[in-house]
Amino acid sequence: MDKIQLEKRVAELNELLHEYGHAYYVLDKPVVSDAIYDQLLNELITIEQENPDLIYPDSPTQRVGGDILQGFKKVTHDYPMLSLSNAFNEADLNDFDRRARAIIGDNFNYICELKIDGLAISLRYENGVFVVGSTRGDGQIGEDITENLKTVRSIPLRLKEPISIEARGECYMPKRSFTNLNKARAEKGEELFANPRNAAAGSLRQLDPKIAASRNLSTFIYAIGGSGEAYNLDSHSEALDYMDKLGFHTNHERRACKDIKEVMAYIEEWTEKRPELPYEIDGIVIKVNRYDQQEELGYTAKSPRWSIAYKFPAEEVVTKVLDVDLTVGRTGVVTPTAILEPVLVAGTTVGRATLHNEDIIREKDIRIGDQVIIRKAGDIIPEVVSVLFDQRSEDSVPYEMPTHCPACDSELIRLEGEVALRCVNPQCFAQISEGMAHFVSRNAMNIDGCGEKVVEQLLKSDLVKDISDLYKLKVEDLVQLERMGEKSANNLVTAIENSKENSMERLLFGLGIRHVGAKAARVLSEEFGSMQNLMKATTNELVNVNDIGEKMSESLLSYFENEEVQALIQRLSDAGVNMDFKGKKVNVADIESVFSGKTVVLTGKLEQLTRQDAKEKIEQLGGTVTGSVSKKTDLVIAGEEAGSKLAKAEQLGIEVWDENRLLQELTV
């Protein structure tokens, strides 16, 4: 064959193998025998080996796994991959339903889907070709696992339409694949995976894609990244049908429900049928179906208000309490934990369970040596449900909480209105260690390479006494630590130096002030602008800030009145740590722009901005971005393939801009 004929044959083979693979792995309806498929694949492999320039990124031969990776790169999600709020019973679902109806009325329906117990993934396609696959990570930034995901045969390397799109879904390991994998590992004397979810996650995080290729993973796609409206879709159910049309593997057990009663019937049905499935599920996902109603309901900082995950009741098992372990947190709270005879619960081996506090231990009368019933709260956190009193030994004695701190031996106190015992010694090693680990964590100062073990070594070696000492560390100090080479030491010093440039809200959250979480730290930083201003704030100034209540205000005032705290913040400032808010605080009343006081709707696909970027920029200039077009809408920004919202805007005579006009106004 000449070059032109070879190119034509490669195109034919690619097309046939994609079609046959889709029929086999997605539709579960093979159209040719394995022998014919293998024959065509081998022909393609032979041509590609002799003509490397004819190996295309979406070639079926690329599923076998390429070279070993050096590490995983970071991927920033265009739209956050949020987690869902949980419901554990019918009352939780009724509350969710009432909240939705209070905002969008009664004219809506739900769509229910099986909650696959796997690993959340994002798949990006450009002109129909798979280019980047990543994990959820922290919701904002994930890991690039493209080469591993290419080996998953239910993921199309080329879509049936040449469009650019992001698909989100769950990568999982079927029950049969899990059984076979653990059987093979047992024969080799290797450690077994605890459950299919862990096995799937472990497979996707292998640096050798050939290992992932051997694990027989699969996927279900459950959403379009951003909004399906960019593709002229009005609802989640339409989006799932469209994903089917593009060649993705979606779960067809989904069902539209007109009200919460039908949702409960769906849940009851799948609670019974769950064991029959060839894959693991841990609940049901319920979503308001229409996109305009989803946008009207909006989001909290962590999850959408238009969706909730019902979690199946936790599995309960019996085991023995061997001991009680006590840990001291960064705020001095002493938390008791039951040390258990290891037992399998909901697919994982459990050896510890939270006892919460002294009152719970007394209320349930939990004692060392007791046989107890345990379960995973929400299938995640093990807890003791109750004691089997009829199996208690005669010489059993009640458990007594200590009177002194297990870490520093200072006397423990119980503050008025609290159930927890607390160590109030500011020099307590455990508190300093926990506090420093929090300070360097990802959501606080984000000092990479400074985990709990490194923090503990720094404190025990007297290299640091508090968080301000981190900024005095040098490479020659760090190389003395166990398992800390020169390269790691250099990286850590660089990470510490980079953290000085963080905006104020990260520092404020990192200080670990009681009741002040990441969201509150952002609100306070935006309101007061600098640490100095916040430290001088009065009670009235604090309680008048949105989302800041009396309890948080009291905590802030008490914290900043402490002279040791004031000295600490001064040391951090002297070390060069930024004390100012670096974001943009918007006072809408003072803004004069074309967006001032206007209600704006974004629709269609934007090419040069993400939808979130456009929303933030418009709001920074005094506009309000909403999700649906009405008579109150002042302006519609229409990207490519804009659908029903554009049509409604034209019908109502509302001003419409394209993306170029938007960009011009944003840069004026």
Side-chain angles (χ1 to χ4, degrees):
M1 272 187 239
D2 60 24
K3 197 69 173 181
I4 294 177
Q5 290 174 315
L6 281 173
E7 289 177 356
K8 183 179 179 181
R9 183 54 178 163
V10 165
E12 290 174 350
L13 290 170
N14 270 281
E15 194 68 38
L16 284 170
L17 289 167
H18 280 305
E19 180 185 336
Y20 297 157
H22 177 73
Y24 187 93
Y25 292 104
V26 176
L27 303 180
D28 199 22
K29 295 178 180 178
V31 293
V32 295
S33 67
D34 289 351
I36 291 176
Y37 183 91
D38 290 342
Q39 180 182 337
L40 295 174
L41 182 62
N42 288 332
E43 182 185 350
L44 180 58
I45 290 171
T46 300
I47 295 174
E48 289 181 346
Q49 286 175 343
E50 296 173 356
N51 302 271
D53 57 315
L54 296 182
I55 301 175
Y56 300 110
D58 61 340
S59 170
T61 63
Q62 301 306 296
R63 291 194 185 277
V64 298
D67 295 335
I68 295 177
L69 307 172
Q70 296 303 308
F72 295 114
K73 298 177 183 176
K74 301 297 182 184
V75 175
T76 300
H77 302 304
D78 288 339
Y79 299 88
M81 292 185 72
L82 301 176
S83 56
L84 298 180
S85 298
N86 290 328
F88 298 100
N89 49 49
E90 188 171 356
D92 291 342
L93 290 173
N94 284 330
D95 286 343
F96 168 72
D97 184 62
R98 277 194 294 272
R99 290 193 297 270
R101 291 182 187 280
I103 296 173
I104 61 175
D106 296 328
N107 187 24
F108 71 95
N109 71 326
Y110 292 112
I111 185 157
C112 294
E113 301 166 84
L114 304 183
K115 187 173 182 297
I116 310 303
D117 196 12
L119 186 75
I121 57 170
S122 163
L123 310 173
R124 293 184 192 171
Y125 290 78
E126 292 180 5
N127 299 317
V129 177
F130 178 44
V131 290
V132 177
S134 59
T135 63
R136 180 202 299 274
D138 64 1
Q140 301 286 341
I141 298 174
E143 290 181 321
D144 186 335
I145 54 169
T146 307
E147 296 307 312
N148 286 337
L149 288 173
K150 280 182 178 180
T151 71
V152 181
R153 294 182 180 274
S154 60
I155 295 176
L157 299 181
R158 182 201 303 165
L159 302 180
K160 294 185 179 297
E161 293 181 13
I163 64 167
S164 297
I165 195 169
E166 180 195 357
R168 290 181 173 178
E170 203 82 7
C171 188
Y172 67 93
M173 181 173 285
K175 291 177 180 177
R176 180 180 294 180
S177 300
F178 175 70
T179 300
N180 292 339
L181 174 61
N182 265 353
K183 183 179 179 181
R185 291 177 73 86
E187 290 172 355
K188 295 177 183 177
E190 297 175 347
E191 183 179 355
L192 303 186
F193 283 108
N195 53 52
R197 186 190 185 285
N198 287 355
S203 301
L204 288 177
R205 297 203 76 259
Q206 294 288 332
L207 292 175
D208 185 354
K210 291 184 175 64
I211 296 177
S214 70
R215 297 284 174 82
N216 298 313
L217 301 173
S218 192
T219 57
F220 283 121
I221 297 303
Y222 56 66
I224 294 174
S227 172
E229 291 172 310
Y231 305 92
N232 294 320
L233 304 169
D234 293 325
S235 67
H236 182 62
S237 56
E238 286 183 14
L240 292 174
D241 291 341
Y242 183 52
M243 301 305 265
D244 279 333
K245 181 182 175 183
L246 290 175
F248 290 106
H249 191 208
T250 70
N251 193 302
H252 286 203
E253 304 298 350
R254 58 185 180 263
R255 184 182 302 168
C257 297
K258 66 181 181 182
D259 54 32
I260 208 69
K261 288 183 179 178
E262 288 194 0
V263 170
M264 283 306 305
Y266 180 87
I267 289 172
E268 289 170 9
E269 176 186 339
W270 283 104
T271 300
E272 292 181 11
K273 293 165 66 174
R274 177 184 181 187
E276 302 168 15
L277 290 167
Y279 45 83
E280 294 285 357
I281 62 173
D282 59 355
I284 303 296
V285 175
I286 302 102
K287 299 174 182 175
V288 170
N289 194 19
R290 288 189 59 86
Y291 284 135
D292 56 351
Q293 292 173 328
Q294 288 182 7
E295 291 190 35
E296 193 173 348
L297 286 165
Y299 301 81
T300 68
K302 296 182 179 179
S303 57
R305 291 192 177 95
W306 43 265
S307 183
I308 198 166
Y310 172 83
K311 303 299 288 290
F312 289 130
E315 177 188 352
E316 297 184 347
V317 300
V318 176
T319 187
K320 184 179 181 180
V321 178
L322 302 177
D323 201 354
V324 175
D325 184 38
L326 300 165
T327 56
V328 184
R330 60 184 171 85
T331 60
V333 171
V334 177
T335 303
T337 300
I339 307 301
L340 307 170
E341 204 165 74
V343 63
L344 195 67
V345 187
T348 58
T349 301
V350 170
R352 298 168 67 89
T354 180
L355 297 175
H356 299 290
N357 55 59
E358 183 178 22
D359 286 2
I360 294 294
I361 293 176
R362 287 180 178 172
E363 180 186 323
K364 296 182 178 180
D365 191 17
I366 299 167
R367 306 181 183 183
I368 294 173
D370 278 346
Q371 293 289 326
V372 295
I373 296 173
I374 68 165
R375 70 180 174 202
K376 285 187 179 179
D379 275 344
I380 299 173
I381 306 167
E383 67 176 359
V384 175
V385 179
S386 60
V387 175
L388 300 177
F389 294 108
D390 59 340
Q391 297 186 34
R392 174 176 282 170
S393 64
E394 294 181 0
D395 59 352
S396 172
V397 295
Y399 179 78
E400 296 290 340
M401 286 287 284
T403 58
H404 287 72
C405 175
C408 69
D409 204 36
S410 298
E411 186 175 358
L412 298 176
I413 66 168
R414 182 185 283 205
L415 299 178
E416 186 178 349
E418 292 191 358
V419 297
L421 285 173
R422 191 182 297 274
C423 172
V424 293
N425 173 19
Q427 300 305 316
C428 175
F429 179 86
Q431 289 183 64
I432 294 172
S433 180
E434 289 288 331
M436 193 171 293
H438 170 74
F439 181 81
V440 303
S441 64
R442 178 178 293 175
N443 291 331
M445 295 300 278
N446 193 25
I447 300 178
D448 195 27
C450 196
E452 290 182 11
K453 291 183 179 178
V454 172
V455 165
E456 193 173 327
Q457 286 189 76
L458 289 170
L459 288 166
K460 286 183 175 178
S461 61
D462 285 331
L463 286 174
V464 299
K465 296 189 183 301
D466 60 44
I467 55 177
S468 67
D469 290 334
L470 289 169
Y471 295 94
K472 301 175 185 176
L473 291 172
K474 298 174 181 169
V475 172
E476 50 265 35
D477 299 324
L478 295 170
V479 291
Q480 304 170 25
L481 302 180
E482 185 180 350
R483 296 182 181 177
M484 180 69 74
E486 189 169 344
K487 183 177 179 181
S488 298
N490 271 302
N491 290 341
L492 179 50
V493 168
T494 300
I496 292 171
E497 187 66 24
N498 291 342
S499 75
K500 292 179 180 180
E501 302 303 317
N502 287 335
S503 185
M504 171 188 166
E505 66 271 19
R506 282 187 170 272
L507 172 61
L508 183 58
F509 177 58
L511 290 173
I513 305 169
R514 289 182 65 206
H515 307 306
V516 179
K519 182 179 179 182
R522 168 78 188 199
V523 170
L524 288 163
S525 299
E526 185 174 314
E527 179 67 26
F528 292 98
S530 72
M531 192 68 72
Q532 186 178 20
N533 290 342
L534 178 60
M535 291 173 73
K536 294 188 295 187
T538 64
T539 300
N540 286 339
E541 288 173 333
L542 289 168
V543 296
N544 285 329
V545 178
N546 285 339
D547 300 325
I548 308 299
E550 288 186 13
K551 185 178 287 188
M552 194 185 301
S553 298
E554 289 172 5
S555 180
L556 284 159
L557 289 169
S558 174
Y559 182 81
F560 288 125
E561 283 172 359
N562 188 310
E563 291 182 1
E564 291 183 4
V565 167
Q566 295 170 16
L568 172 64
I569 292 174
Q570 186 60 53
R571 290 197 298 275
L572 288 168
S573 179
D574 291 343
V577 176
N578 173 62
M579 296 283 158
D580 298 326
F581 177 59
K582 290 189 171 183
K584 292 183 179 179
K585 182 178 184 298
V586 179
N587 187 345
V588 175
D590 296 337
I591 291 176
E592 293 184 7
S593 80
V594 293
F595 301 104
S596 299
K598 288 188 176 180
T599 299
V600 183
V601 172
L602 298 165
T603 185
K605 185 178 180 182
L606 301 179
E607 294 293 332
Q608 299 183 59
L609 292 171
T610 66
R611 186 81 67 93
Q612 185 63 29
D613 284 341
K615 180 177 184 292
E616 289 178 359
K617 290 177 184 295
I618 291 168
E619 290 179 343
Q620 286 167 5
L621 291 171
T624 300
V625 178
T626 63
S628 55
V629 176
S630 70
K631 292 179 180 179
K632 295 180 180 179
T633 304
D634 298 302
L635 175 65
V636 170
I637 311 297
E640 288 187 10
E641 302 175 6
S644 58
K645 290 183 184 179
L646 174 59
K648 188 172 181 180
E650 291 171 341
Q651 181 183 350
L652 293 173
I654 295 168
E655 185 176 3
V656 177
W657 293 357
D658 61 14
E659 185 176 5
N660 287 332
R661 174 69 187 280
L662 170 64
L663 291 169
Q664 287 173 11
E665 297 296 345
L666 290 176
T667 55
V668 169

